[in-house]
Amino acid sequence: MNNNNQKISLTIDGVEVQGKPGQTILEAAEAAAVYIPRLCWMKNLTAAGSCRVCSVRANGRVQSACTQPIGPGMVVENDTEELRELRRNLIDMLFVEGNHFCMFCEKSGECELQALAYRFGITAPKYPFMFPQRDLDASHPEILVDRNRCILCGRCVRASQELDGKHVFGFVGRGTTKRLAVNAPDNLAQTDAEADDQAVAACPTGSLLVKRVGYAVPVGQRKFDHSPIGSEIENSDVQD
Amino acid sequence: MASTQTKRIVIEPVTRVEGHGKVSILMDENNRVEQARLHIVEFRGFERFIQGRPFWELPVLVQRLCGICPVSHHLCAAKAIDGIVGAENLTPTAEKMRRLMHYGQMFQSHALHFFHLASPDLLFGFDAPVEKRNVIGVIAEHPDLAVQGVMMRKFGQEIIRATAGKKVHGTGAIPGGINKNLSIEERDALLADMDQMLEWSLESVKIAKSYTLENLNSVAEFGSFESNHLSIVREDGAMDLYDGKLRAVDAIGATIIDQVDPLDYLDVIAEEVRPWSYMKFPYLTSIGSEDGWYRVGPLARVNTCDFIDTPQAEVARQEFMGLTDGKPSNVTMAYHWTRMIELLHAAEKIQELLHDSALQGEDLVVPAGDRRGEYVAMIEAPRGTLTHHYQVDENDQVTMANLIVSTTCNNEAMNRAVRKIADDHLSGAPEITEGLLNNIEVGIRAYDPCLSCATHALGQMPLEVTLFDAVGEVVDQRVRSSR
């Protein structure tokens, strides 16, 4: 049986949406021009469901929209005050558990974490800063790793494996000591990482950077200078 | 035997200066000034915590030292990084965009200081009631002047936004150039206000000049003393606020150093650390720490340059120098007049640049050349000569930073001004009035000090204040655990 033309009907915030078999809630929502905030999810990568920013209520249960498949008659709650508050808290915690200094970060204006904070109206974290001791790996001639800004989303880990066919990045440690590691004894320079690896571009924050690019894009022309994150989805056409 | 009648007067905080300062005066039992010092109680640590950061971050990171003249730090760091990456010969578009940004900042900073911070003292007198002697008082009694100050500052800020992307803490200057040019729309919006700004700048010079001349008897000696003067100047001796080489003259105009490349600054300038201040005390090494200190800023720049290369500011300079027969002026309160001469110069430069089609050029960045591990850049910030010195390792990480900011250069001079004013106005006074205390602040304020900038470095001072009497006995001690 060919499922390509089969439709699955569900509602998101009371609006009926037609999805396709095999789609996740996030994918079905995106096709219907509904934005569900996300950080660890990235197109063409296996969903990890780890950041929980895409949490929705599906048939009354909180689920990560990037991993939960849609089902017929599913009732999805997305843009509710309860979920907005949940997401605000998650984003807030990501800020305080790292060292995110947007004021001089070259990813400012292009950073998904910062853009989400703006979208959710977070002007300052409500939780106390943890100020962890994190290091910076500048050993590679073309790539900088600034672990101060790493939110452990794992996009670089998956992109390296699934898109670049390499295994440059991984995680070591647990809990608050978990950190991004490289597949080499000491540092990134000892790996086969290259500046045009999709793993580098996959970083949603300023943790993985191509060196010496800096602030080449002027203020006013950066990705999120004029439109909030997600607006490109909300302004897109509904797909059949 | 130690005196037990020593009286300590503390003015804290010193108002209407950028950042926070504290003045302490030690008086003996006869109410005569024993000692007067400007203490710096802020602690910033920039030189230390930028170590390890990638060098291309510096122009954006270091400018966070200050919200008033961040452009100076932005551009000075950018110039230093140009040298690090071997790209110091910029395209005309890049150099002129940076200059426009710098003149815009000079314009807004000088307007802010003169109209918002200094004018209450000049308009109402140093002894005027404190509730009147502030910018609100200026708005009430001189609304035209207050509006003029606001609009002039706004104009400078708009130039910064057009060149750096934001009015405060932008990103315009990048290694080897600039990240945007000036659009026709941006240019025309600025040109629409240009004539008014030039007219107001001329009036500002007249106000400062009239004030100085009308009050010459009191102003000439107020916190004044002979000193050396230092700035960068262009190769032909012209005032150049963006680039040049070091020149220092003594109190009567004799040349001490001239055309010293910023890269060789350590051959001519050293910094002394004193145990009671977070701020260092720079001095000219050829003279030594005792007498080699110098002043920087508008007064010093007008004193050191041979001429100003814009016509109206040059006329104003000649009028000013005419008072001292072409010799340097050592009058502290003349900072205000010279600051307005520079304001006019900045306005003329802005006008010149806005009519230059190079600003609409597309060639914004020169490619990196031979990499250097170390570089030094200097710029004339609104408050005086600013030095950024960096060392960068092969991984692109900063390993050393030395920032000598304008207010640090004026450290000794401000302390001398405090002592002089305290001697002249407080000694023997039976009562310490608000007006008398403010005389000291007026003296400090003449230098437009930015105390937050000046304490960027890791201080060598223990976090305590010790008070000595006339014979050196400790009479008071206070541990400063936090501000």
Side-chain angles (χ1 to χ4, degrees), chain B residues 234-248:
Chain B
R234 207 167 67 186
E235 200 170 346
D236 60 0
M239 174 184 280
D240 191 336
L241 302 172
Y242 176 75
D243 199 26
K245 293 183 178 175
L246 279 171
R247 172 184 285 179

Side-chain angles (χ1 to χ4, degrees), chain B residues 140-156:
Chain B
E141 292 205 15
H142 303 275
D144 292 350
L145 271 187
V147 169
Q148 184 176 322
V150 170
M151 296 306 288
M152 290 174 84
R153 177 149 197 265
K154 179 173 184 286
F155 180 72

Side-chain angles (χ1 to χ4, degrees), chain B residues 408-445:
Chain B
T408 303
C409 296
N410 278 332
N411 196 1
E412 177 67 30
M414 286 191 292
N415 274 280
R416 295 216 175 205
V418 167
R419 176 64 197 253
K420 174 78 163 49
I421 295 164
D423 273 341
D424 292 348
H425 294 264
L426 289 172
S427 289
E431 187 184 3
I432 311 302
T433 64
E434 168 69 22
L436 282 174
L437 290 178
N438 195 53
N439 277 304
I440 290 171
E441 289 195 67
V442 169
I444 296 168
R445 204 175 292 129

Side-chain angles (χ1 to χ4, degrees), chain B residues 111-395:
Chain B
L112 166 76
H113 181 263
F114 187 71
F115 289 100
H116 297 191
L117 305 180
S119 72
D121 300 323
L122 310 187
L123 292 170
F124 303 128
F126 309 164
D127 293 324
V130 67
E131 59 271 18
K132 179 180 179 185
R133 193 169 26 85
N134 53 50
V135 71
I136 304 298
V138 177
I139 292 168
E141 292 205 15
H142 303 275
D144 292 350
L145 271 187
V147 169
Q148 184 176 322
V150 170
M151 296 306 288
M152 290 174 84
R153 177 149 197 265
K154 179 173 184 286
F155 180 72
Q157 294 287 82
E158 290 297 342
I159 289 175
I160 296 169
R161 179 160 72 176
T163 50
K166 289 166 67 185
K167 288 180 182 176
V168 184
H169 299 141
T171 65
I174 57 177
I178 194 91
N179 67 12
K180 74 183 289 287
N181 64 9
L182 191 74
S183 69
I184 298 288
E185 294 74 27
E186 289 166 331
R187 181 200 66 186
D188 291 348
L190 294 168
L191 277 173
D193 293 326
M194 194 67 242
D195 289 346
Q196 178 69 79
M197 293 303 145
L198 270 170
E199 186 186 324
W200 281 346
S201 300
L202 275 166
E203 285 174 15
S204 304
V205 175
K206 280 182 196 163
I207 294 169
K209 176 185 166 187
S210 302
Y211 169 80
T212 310
L213 295 180
E214 286 165 13
N215 299 279
L216 200 54
N217 286 341
S218 57
V219 161
E221 285 302 310
F222 184 85
S224 296
F225 43 83
E226 293 197 335
S227 76
N228 307 309
H229 302 270
L230 177 139
S231 77
I232 53 172
V233 293
R234 207 167 67 186
E235 200 170 346
D236 60 0
M239 174 184 280
D240 191 336
L241 302 172
Y242 176 75
D243 199 26
K245 293 183 178 175
L246 279 171
R247 172 184 285 179
V249 300
D250 68 13
I252 56 169
T255 302
I256 304 169
I257 57 169
D258 197 12
Q259 294 300 322
V260 174
D261 195 298
L263 290 168
D264 301 323
Y265 84 104
L266 287 174
D267 293 341
V268 295
I269 294 172
E271 292 179 278
E272 185 186 10
V273 173
R274 296 182 191 170
W276 50 272
S277 177
Y278 278 123
M279 267 205 297
K280 295 176 187 171
F281 289 79
Y283 62 93
L284 294 159
T285 49
S286 61
I287 303 177
S289 62
E290 187 67 26
D291 298 315
W293 55 276
Y294 51 86
R295 284 193 268 196
V296 298
L299 178 66
R301 288 190 286 250
V302 170
N303 280 335
T304 52
C305 75
D306 297 329
F307 66 100
I308 297 176
D309 68 344
T310 55
Q312 296 183 96
E314 172 60 9
V315 169
R317 186 197 72 87
Q318 288 180 11
E319 283 179 350
F320 176 79
M321 297 304 285
L323 280 184
T324 49
D325 296 326
K327 303 288 185 192
S329 168
N330 290 287
V331 174
T332 291
M333 291 300 282
Y335 264 97
H336 297 296
W337 187 353
T338 50
R339 193 169 285 118
M340 291 304 96
I341 294 172
E342 287 191 342
L343 178 93
L344 176 59
H345 172 57
E348 289 182 289
K349 280 290 188 187
I350 290 165
Q351 185 185 43
E352 186 182 306
L353 283 165
L354 289 178
H355 285 103
D356 191 331
S357 61
L359 290 178
Q360 281 77 51
E362 300 286 344
D363 199 1
L364 304 182
V365 183
V366 292
D370 293 336
R371 177 70 174 268
R372 298 183 180 94
E374 180 172 16
Y375 210 75
V376 182
M378 289 187 183
I379 200 167
E380 285 297 332
R383 289 147 187 84
T385 312
L386 171 65
T387 304
H388 281 205
H389 177 190
Y390 300 112
Q391 290 173 354
V392 176
D393 69 14
E394 66 280 5
N395 286 339

Side-chain angles (χ1 to χ4, degrees), chain A residues 103-104 106 136 138-139 141 144 146 148-149 211-212 214-219, chain B residues 52-57 60-61 64 164-166 171 174 179-180 395-397:
Chain A
M103 72 286 281
F104 66 83
E106 64 195 81
L136 187 144
S139 62
L144 179 78
D146 188 346
N148 291 290
R149 301 165 180 167
K211 281 185 165 182
R212 296 178 292 279
Y215 311 88
V217 180
V219 176
Chain B
R53 298 305 308 173
F55 70 78
W56 59 88
E57 274 186 359
V60 175
L61 170 51
R64 290 282 169 170
K166 289 166 67 185
T171 65
I174 57 177
N179 67 12
K180 74 183 289 287
N395 286 339
D396 299 336
Q397 290 176 284

